[in-house]
Amino acid sequence: MGRRALSLLIPILIIVATTTFFVSPSVATDAIDQTASITGNQTLVSAGGIFELGFFSPPGGRTYLGIWYASIPGQTVVWVANRQDPLVSTPGVLRLSPDGRLLILDRQNATVWSSPAPTRNLTTLASAKLRDDGNFLLSSDGSGSPESVAWQSFDYPTDTLLPGMKLGVDLRRRLARNLTSWTSPTDPSPGPYTFKIVLGGLPEFILFKGPAKIYASGPYNGAGLTGVPDLRSPDFHFKVVSSPDETYYSYSIADPDSTLLSRFVMDGAAGQVQRFVWTNGAWSSFWYYPTDPCDSYGKCGPFGYCDIGQSPLCSCLPGFQPRSPQQWSLRDNAGGCARTTNLSCGPGDGFWPVNRMKLPEATNATMYAGLTLDQCRQACLANCSCRAYSAANVSGGVSRGCVVWTVDLLDMRQYPSVVQDVYIRLAQSEVDALNAAAANSRRHHPNRSLVIAIVAAVSGVLLLGLVVACCCFWRKKAGKKRQFENTPSSQGDVLPFRARKHPALSSPQDQRLDGNRMSTENDLDLPLFDLEVIMAATDNFSEDSKIGQGGFGPVYMAKLEDGQEVAVKRLSRRSVQGVGEFTNEVKLIAKLQHRNLVRLLGCCIDDDERMLVYEFMHNNSLDTFIFDEGKRKLLEWKIRFEIIMGIARGLLYLHEDSRVRIIHRDLKASNVLLDRNMIPKISDFGIARMFGGDQTTAYTIKVIGTYGYMSPEYAMDGVFSMKSDIYSFGVLVLEIITGKRNRGFYDHELDLNLLGYAWMCWKEGRGVDLLDESMGGKPDYSAVLRCIQVALLCVEVHPRNRPLMSSVVMMLSSENATLPEPNEPGVNIGKNSSDTDSSHTHTGTNFTGTAIDAR
Ligand SMILES: *[C@@H]1O[C@H](CO)[C@@H](O)[C@H](O)[C@H]1NC(C)=O
Ligand SMILES: *[C@@H]1O[C@H](CO)[C@@H](O)[C@H](O)[C@H]1NC(C)=O
Ligand SMILES: *[C@@H]1O[C@H](CO)[C@@H](O)[C@H](O)[C@H]1NC(C)=O
Ligand SMILES: *[C@@H]1O[C@H](CO)[C@@H](O)[C@H](O)[C@H]1NC(C)=O
Ligand SMILES: *[C@@H]1O[C@H](CO)[C@@H](O)[C@H](O)[C@H]1NC(C)=O
Ligand SMILES: *[C@@H]1O[C@H](CO)[C@@H](O)[C@H](O)[C@H]1NC(C)=O
Ligand SMILES: *[C@@H]1O[C@H](CO)[C@@H](O)[C@H](O)[C@H]1NC(C)=O
Ligand SMILES: *[C@@H]1O[C@H](CO)[C@@H](O)[C@H](O)[C@H]1NC(C)=O
């Protein structure tokens, strides 16, 4: 699945790119006719001053004709005419030809781009006008009435869908409107990602990267897109239209008087379709797909389905079992599931309904208009290759047709709320077994339906409470400013990641709260500390308050006025990062919240000072315990095991459960902090990106990779992925168990380092010998062995053999799981370890940061 690891740099570049193209003065008109043209830095501005059309030149020396917002600073380009035919010799000219085509001419008067010849003859009144909705519309008589339209930019979207534009196909007019990403934030030529409609049994919107499907919206069943349950908002109207003539998606702003600016973008840097809203001086993305791992196209393989609320995420449909149980247990789900019992292929087969499902991909399914579900069932039984059926053309709760799949069922996921039932064809014996099991579970839980009713009622009340609370919250905010706000009512998916306000900072009279919190206040909501406050709290950065020295600068302990202790990480002044990048970085980190990650409380920006304020960890870092003669005695097995589990959960969150994928790259004992209760917290995540520029790249690589924790493919080839973090985790687990440093340990007699030694002990069946001899208490030996086995799996040579964190957590926590046998660990190997999971990797040399795999 074409997931990309990408540098944080890229989103930053977008901001930079969209704000730094030169801004042109305008000629005060919104249209050109056959006597007028625009050239050089002249532009057209729509009547209400909302959009502007003209030539723009991103860095790189090429010039394009595009449309951007006139009313907001910078150039957020929403449409490009000649994305494949840039102007090289400028100034360019845009003019209307006598035969009614728009032409872009270069300095030599050569045509570099033209709109198609109009299908109707234009009069001398013809003109092309930029309207306030962003549409550049050429009409034959200048009226702009629908009958007179000869050409319009809305019919040729680039990467952006504005309110009122359509995404889909118009069969009559032979238009296929798709969104294709820019190649890079400074290059509008078509990039790898395309979001477009695919017509099949049922229409569906699919996100492609090249030919590969990355994400699918779920088929449109008449009532909605079955994979987008949250397509509703008080601020927008969404519409999917499916008729014999045209099928499309479009949206509009609910309040016609609203000045809300919104754009829906195929964002190539994130690999996501995102809806942005202009709010408080910045674009915020408040809706994006794919959102979570279950959105990944076909994640669970044929006949499997994904449920984000379950661990593991993938399950087989009832009546099916993993095709390869071993791969399945290692979270490799691509193989999917196979029938437990073959179909009889006669009327003897039955159906089992699975509910709350995103429908399987329906491009190869068949839609039967007008059939009832019962007729559909008969039709399905009559065809041996029929696998499932479901209601279609649903409206007002009534279906006026059905859809039948005669292919493998792919890309299903289950939602907590009702989407739609799918009837799966199974051998009758399977149906009977499932019925018996259901009856049995009812017998054992006679009150189950009552319990469900109570749970439903209670959660209904809770939900109502939440909605009311959200509304109040929204009202409160809306009252302050009659503008769009990122409120829970419209931002359900972002809400869980909002940084909480530091409690000590919430009182209005609080001096530490800088009056001008970051301009992006709404999506950050992270306190800014004043430099004086920090200086006072750290006694002017005194040596006494210094508690450590990280790769990025010193760390101080500080006591705030209210007595709260915090840790202040002062980034070295060599940082060449701008405030914008820093804020972006901090925003990202602020969004990460997990019990096993150190919490960011706020930051401080003052001239060239950049500081991060974290919660203070009383027990310092893990290395000060496990490698300390005195303190390691205190770490009984139970505590060590809890620490291992905690780190595993924190890493699982970074890798698989947070909104963005983060590769830590420097997991080691000194980066795991322990709080008062010895709960481990991973620190330094994402800090890698705090340093930009070439010079710091080398620095980063030197510091980030800590020898002894680096996986062979990272150390040798600079290739890293989740699997290299998992390698570091394996090393860390062995260190926690043995109390020995991987790097410091070397058995000269046996010529072995810690991993080799652990492997030898394991192979010889004396894994228990690895245990730290100075450890107090009586350990649970089976848990010790399980941890060692998991650690050895994590440090395998071949990245693909290392389990993902989700499996690691599962293997560590389940006492009677059968674990795979580890192979020899990956140390001292040659350079050809190239079989990394390439979709998650990134070559290190020109890479400056933490890999983020935005989903
Ligand atoms: C726009 O073009 C005019 C005339 O060529 C020139 O005087 C002016 O400096 C230009 N403005 C910018 C911002 O390039
Ligand atoms: C381009 O066309 C314009 C107007 O037709 C003319 O004035 C100009 O000389 C032409 N330039 C070249 C390089 O042919
Ligand atoms: C436009 O006019 C030309 C001549 O005036 C004629 O030959 C042509 O058929 C017309 N085209 C359309 C699409 O009406
Ligand atoms: C998207 O649409 C453009 C025309 O608007 C077309 O040239 C391009 O091939 C389409 N891309 C895909 C992947 O369908
Ligand atoms: C089920 O069908 C497959 C192929 O159609 C066949 O290989 C397999 O042996 C069958 N299983 C049983 C139990 O009949
Ligand atoms: C649909 O059918 C086409 C042609 O047979 C095939 O290439 C494609 O893989 C099928 N798609 C799915 C999702 O099964
Ligand atoms: C869906 O049902 C409506 C109302 O019966 C009908 O007009 C329409 O043609 C149906 N659509 C399809 C795609 O069958
Ligand atoms: C069963 O469905 C497939 C796919 O739609 C079709 O090609 C085949 O002709 C059907 N078979 C029968 C017996 O209807």
Side-chain angles (χ1 to χ4, degrees), residues 22-25 40-42:
F22 78 90
V23 178
S24 317
N41 58 18
Q42 295 173 324

Side-chain angles (χ1 to χ4, degrees), residues 110-437:
T111 305
V112 296
W113 175 87
S114 77
S115 64
T119 50
R120 67 189 79 201
N121 279 338
L122 303 191
T123 68
T124 47
L125 291 173
S127 71
K129 179 172 173 176
L130 180 62
R131 301 200 314 184
D132 273 335
D133 58 2
N135 196 0
F136 188 43
L137 190 145
L138 172 59
S139 74
S140 57
D141 57 8
S143 70
S145 64
E147 314 77 58
S148 73
V149 174
W151 177 92
Q152 54 184 327
S153 64
F154 270 23
D155 283 340
Y156 302 91
T158 51
D159 70 335
T160 303
L161 200 70
L162 294 171
M165 283 173 91
K166 294 172 178 177
L167 179 66
V169 289
D170 186 330
L171 297 173
R172 259 174 331 175
R173 297 177 51 212
R174 299 171 162 277
L175 286 173
R177 306 183 191 98
N178 60 42
L179 299 180
T180 304
S181 66
W182 286 26
T183 293
S184 79
T186 56
D187 180 358
S189 66
Y193 293 97
T194 301
F195 189 59
K196 66 172 185 181
I197 198 166
V198 175
L199 298 179
L202 297 177
E204 178 161 19
F205 294 89
I206 299 186
L207 173 51
F208 289 86
K209 181 181 188 188
K213 295 173 183 174
I214 302 290
Y215 159 73
S217 69
Y220 176 70
N221 65 358
L225 294 167
T226 58
V228 191
D230 57 351
L231 197 61
R232 56 182 67 91
S233 151
D235 299 296
F236 299 104
H237 290 317
F238 302 104
K239 175 160 87 167
V240 179
V241 170
S242 178
S243 75
D245 290 338
E246 56 177 347
T247 304
Y248 64 86
Y249 160 83
S250 86
Y251 74 103
S252 57
I253 312 282
D255 174 4
D257 301 327
S258 158
T259 55
L260 177 62
L261 300 180
S262 164
R263 59 198 177 100
F264 177 80
V265 181
M266 178 61 252
D267 181 343
Q272 290 172 316
V273 280
Q274 306 203 44
R275 187 186 318 285
F276 291 95
V277 164
W278 180 257
T279 169
N280 288 41
W283 286 110
S284 15
S285 154
F286 74 98
W287 184 95
Y288 45 85
Y289 271 90
T291 312
D292 59 40
C294 282
D295 282 332
S296 180
Y297 176 81
K299 171 154 179 91
C300 299
F303 301 105
Y305 68 94
C306 196
D307 184 344
I308 197 70
Q310 275 183 14
S311 181
L313 298 172
C314 286
S315 311
C316 286
L317 289 170
F320 288 79
Q321 62 199 10
R323 198 172 280 280
S324 161
Q326 204 205 342
Q327 279 173 357
W328 194 265
S329 69
L330 290 171
R331 299 293 189 278
D332 177 356
N333 306 106
C337 308
R339 281 179 195 286
T340 318
T341 312
N342 282 350
L343 296 176
S344 75
C345 238
D349 293 336
F351 290 92
W352 186 257
V354 289
N355 49 27
R356 296 177 285 119
M357 282 289 173
K358 170 183 181 180
L359 296 184
E361 182 184 341
T363 45
N364 286 349
T366 314
M367 159 90 182
Y368 291 104
L371 286 200
T372 64
L373 272 187
D374 212 37
Q375 290 167 324
C376 215
R377 179 193 185 95
Q378 299 310 327
C380 187
L381 276 180
N383 188 330
C384 189
S385 48
C386 177
R387 315 286 212 281
Y389 69 91
S390 179
N393 199 1
V394 181
S395 83
V398 182
S399 70
R400 294 183 184 79
C402 73
V403 60
V404 165
W405 284 267
T406 52
V407 290
D408 288 356
L409 306 182
L410 204 60
D411 198 38
M412 298 177 80
R413 78 177 277 186
Q414 193 160 41
Y415 286 102
S417 56
V418 176
V419 182
Q420 185 159 312
D421 293 350
V422 183
Y423 299 84
I424 311 288
R425 185 180 188 169
L426 295 176
Q428 189 60 46
S429 59
E430 287 293 328
V431 176
D432 294 342
L434 287 166
N435 269 322

